[in-house]
């Protein structure tokens, strides 16, 4: 439940003399985490991905039965097929070579088919995709395509591992960012629970959950003033122990490079503005930063009125009454 308006101190946005040291500390903390945990996260994902690739191989009779009907039945096989070619195909390259719609390929990358696409057009474009893939299949990885022999389990596993490695390398930033964000959630949960907070779980579609003081909720949506259907997602809602303190909405940010952070700087600032337009001083919106965020990013956020805490200094949450 959103509390009454109260004056809140700035946390870090008004302390530019600390930014340089905090940037260095944040980068150092991320690098230590990366060296210790990122390789294991990558390996685990590669194992899982290898099983997905093997399933795609079996669904296509080890790539010997690539047909539009197979793609209709297994649209989730498309990422595997893109990485099974020589050279591996990026999404945009496949769209261009096959001359198919971005919507079709985008939905198949999500494991689905477009629901509103004409059946005839869909089948024509699936045929074009299969034609491109068949022509470019990497026969060094799949030697059985030349010999017309059924591969053994060892040969199939070897090929699946190579394709899985290609998939993981293509999505390595996504793998690392996902692992890092899970780590950040666990860090802040441990911090809150060490101070007597308890987690409350709500239905995923519930907007603006009303919690008791001393609780937190992961993954919330709050309505905005831009219309009945306009909502803002936030990573965490915290109700301080003091019933008169403001509700806190906290977003968790992880950037793997300064360039990546700055690419999202404008959208991060817009998110704060939309929240402030709706709730003004009745609730607090802040972000937890962990990773590569340079003074340029910080300056943009500070100029918009946004504020942040650092993962390496969670005690700054005390400024918000946590």
């Amino acid at each position: 439940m959103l509390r009454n308006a109260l004056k809140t101190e700035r946390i870090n946005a008004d302390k530019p003399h600390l930014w340089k040291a905090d940037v260095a500390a944040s980068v150092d903390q991320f690098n230590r985490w990366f060296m210790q945990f990122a390789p294991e996260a990558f390996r685990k994902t590669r194992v899982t991905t290898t099983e997905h690739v093997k399933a795609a191989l079996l669904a296509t009779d080890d790539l010997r039965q690539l047909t539009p009907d197979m793609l209709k039945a297994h649209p989730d096989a498309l990422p595997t097929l893109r990485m099974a070619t020589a050279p591996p195909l990026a999404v945009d390259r496949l769209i261009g070579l096959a001359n198919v719609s971005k919507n079709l390929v985008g939905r198949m990358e999500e494991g689905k088919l477009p629901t509103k696409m004409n059946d005839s057009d869909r089948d024509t474009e699936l045929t074009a995709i299969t034609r491109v893939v068949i022509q470019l299949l990497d026969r060094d990885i799949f030697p059985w395509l030349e010999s017309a022999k059924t591969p053994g389990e060892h040969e199939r596993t070897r090929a699946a591992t190579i394709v899985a490695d290609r998939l993981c390398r293509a999505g390595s930033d996504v793998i690392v960012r996902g692992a890092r964000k899970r780590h950040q959630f666990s860090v802040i949960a441990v911090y809150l629970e060490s101070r007597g907070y308890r987690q409350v779980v709500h239905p995923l579609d519930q907007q603006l959950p009303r919690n008791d003081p001393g609780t937190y909720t992961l993954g919330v949506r709050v309505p905005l003033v831009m219309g009945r259907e306009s909502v803002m997602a936030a990573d965490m809602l915290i109700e301080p122990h003091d019933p008169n303190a403001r509700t806190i909405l906290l977003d968790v940010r992880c950037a793997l490079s300064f360039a990546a952070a700055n690419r999202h700087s404008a959208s991060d600032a817009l998110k704060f503005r939309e929240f402030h337009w709706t709730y003004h001083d009745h609730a607090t919106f802040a972000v937890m930063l962990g990773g590569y965020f340079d003074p340029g990013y910080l300056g943009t956020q500070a100029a918009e009125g946004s504020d942040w805490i650092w993962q390496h200094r969670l005690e700054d949450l005390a400024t918000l009454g946590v």
Side-chain angles (χ1 to χ4, degrees), residues 48-62:
T48 303
T49 304
T50 298
E51 294 305 312
H52 289 317
V53 173
K54 289 176 71 174
L57 293 179
L58 292 172
T60 60
D61 190 20
D62 295 305

Side-chain angles (χ1 to χ4, degrees), residues 68 72 104 117-128:
K72 276 194 289 188
L104 172 66
M117 190 174 190
N118 177 277
D119 288 349
S120 177
D121 291 342
R122 180 197 61 205
D123 291 348
T124 298
E125 295 197 3
L126 290 177
T127 299

